[in-house]
């Protein structure tokens, strides 16, 4: 059985209602097997930038320590905002590891280009080992071992770094083997799958901070992940970005969320 680590971090999000991410993580954890689930005691306070251009850095550092203390092999990490993945990757063996980044936004800003100062928008750049030194991986994951999936809301400053990565569009997922082929081409022996639920089409899941039209279907994404797992072992996975506006809305979206959980667990 997979182990689940719930990190209801909201401090990396730029959303005005970022604390809805805490409610989203709680809603998911309620449907996970209790004996296999650990919920981190994430601080509620915003934290301080500590003289950097990353908002709430002190709280992000604290959550990073909590994740490092609890992460184990084959963990499914439940966020919270997307930047929890950076903390997880920092704490595991990254040799021969590929990263699949499923997200409507590529998260490739640096502190110098970010319009918000929110770390979730810098998360993949930090995975590459770039950006704020206190948070970026050292060493980072090489560019040729990163595969982005479903990125369709790209800021001008993100276009150049995104161009240097392997990319799959939403339409590419119509071929269930496309993701497995892309990861196999990296030569990696293990893969971490990061899923921001806004990669899905809003018609399938509404509980996100910033919905992006023309997203992936749950069935196409889960089929692609299952095909990937038959060829490259999972080192772990993240499901992040669930921000339902009410308990009723959470209940409506949990079917799609649990299908994602099943695909990675």
């Amino acid at each position: 059985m997979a182990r689940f680590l719930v990190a209801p971090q909201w401090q990396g999000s730029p959303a005005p209602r970022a604390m809805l991410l805490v409610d989203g993580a709680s809603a998911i954890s309620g449907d996970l097997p209790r004996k296999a689930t650990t919920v981190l005691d994430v601080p509620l306070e915003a934290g301080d930038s500590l003289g950097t251009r990353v908002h709430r850095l002190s709280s992000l550092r604290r959550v990073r320590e909590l994740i490092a203390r609890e992460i184990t092999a084959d963990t499914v990490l439940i966020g919270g905002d997307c930047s929890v993945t950076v903390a997880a990757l920092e704490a595991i063996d990254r040799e021969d590891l590929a990263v699949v980044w499923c997200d409507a936004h590529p998260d490739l800003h640096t502190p110098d280009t970010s319009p918000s100062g929110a770390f979730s928008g810098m998360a993949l750049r930090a995975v590459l080992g770039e950006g704020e030194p206190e948070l970026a991986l050292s060493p980072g994951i090489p560019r040729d071992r990163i595969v982005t999936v479903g990125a369709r809301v790209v800021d001008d400053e993100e276009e150049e770094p995104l161009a240097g990565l392997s990319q799959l569009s939403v339409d590419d997922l119509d071929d269930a083997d496309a993701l497995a082929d892309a990861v196999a081409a990296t030569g990696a022996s293990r893969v971490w799958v990061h899923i921001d639920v806004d990669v899905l089409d809003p018609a399938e899941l509404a509980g996100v901070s910033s919905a992006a039209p023309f997203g992936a279907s749950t069935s196409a994404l889960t089929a692609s992940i299952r095909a990937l797992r038959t060829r490259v072992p999972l080192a772990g996975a993240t499901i992040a970005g669930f921000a339902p506006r009410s308990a009723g809305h959470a209940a409506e979206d949990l079917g799609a969320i649990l299908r994602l959980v099943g695909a990675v667990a």
Side-chain angles (χ1 to χ4, degrees):
M1 178 183 292
R3 179 168 180 263
F4 299 94
L5 183 61
V6 181
Q9 174 184 283
W10 64 273
Q11 290 92 338
S13 171
R17 299 183 179 181
M19 289 193 72
L20 291 177
L21 292 165
V22 178
D23 298 334
S26 177
I28 297 171
S29 66
D31 276 314
L32 301 177
R34 185 171 300 179
K35 290 185 178 180
T37 302
T38 300
V39 180
L40 297 180
D41 185 17
V42 170
L44 289 179
E45 62 268 18
D48 189 86
S49 64
L50 302 178
T52 71
R53 295 187 180 183
V54 178
H55 291 182
R56 309 167 186 148
L57 177 61
S58 61
S59 290
L60 297 172
R61 285 172 48 181
R62 173 59 179 155
V63 178
R64 188 187 190 101
E65 293 168 0
L66 294 173
I67 291 174
R69 192 177 304 160
E70 296 290 344
I71 200 82
T72 60
D74 303 320
T75 293
V76 176
L77 181 62
I78 305 294
D81 68 72
C82 285
S83 64
V84 296
T85 295
V86 186
L89 294 176
E90 179 62 34
I92 69 169
D93 178 13
R94 300 189 295 280
E95 186 174 357
D96 294 328
L97 180 73
V99 173
V100 171
W101 199 267
C102 305
D103 199 319
H105 310 83
D107 298 340
L108 284 167
H109 278 286
T110 67
D112 291 332
T113 67
S114 171
S116 67
F119 184 53
S120 63
M122 314 175 202
L124 184 53
R125 199 67 176 266
V127 169
L128 291 165
E130 301 169 8
E132 171 52 48
E134 289 227 37
L135 297 172
L137 298 188
S138 181
I141 304 291
R143 277 177 163 69
D144 60 5
R145 286 199 261 124
I146 303 287
V147 178
T148 68
V149 176
R152 55 197 187 277
V153 183
V154 183
D155 291 339
D156 291 346
E157 297 85 355
E158 297 175 296
E159 289 181 355
E160 183 177 350
L162 181 61
L165 305 178
S166 176
Q167 302 173 54
L168 293 181
S169 69
V170 168
D171 289 342
D172 288 330
L173 297 182
D174 291 341
D175 176 0
D177 291 320
L179 178 57
D181 290 343
V183 175
T186 70
S189 59
R190 299 171 302 127
V191 60
W192 186 284
V193 175
H194 166 96
I195 304 170
D196 181 336
V197 296
D198 71 9
V199 74
L200 298 178
D201 193 84
E204 303 223 354
L205 189 144
V208 297
S209 299
S210 180
F214 310 114
S217 69
T218 309
S219 58
L221 182 57
T222 55
S224 295
I225 293 170
R226 292 183 188 279
L228 170 62
R229 294 186 65 185
T230 67
R231 293 170 59 183
V232 183
L234 243 62
T238 307
I239 296 175
F242 186 39
R245 293 186 176 271
S246 68
H249 288 112
E252 292 174 5
D253 285 338
L254 275 174
I257 295 283
L258 294 177
R259 288 179 68 187
L260 297 176
V261 171
V264 297

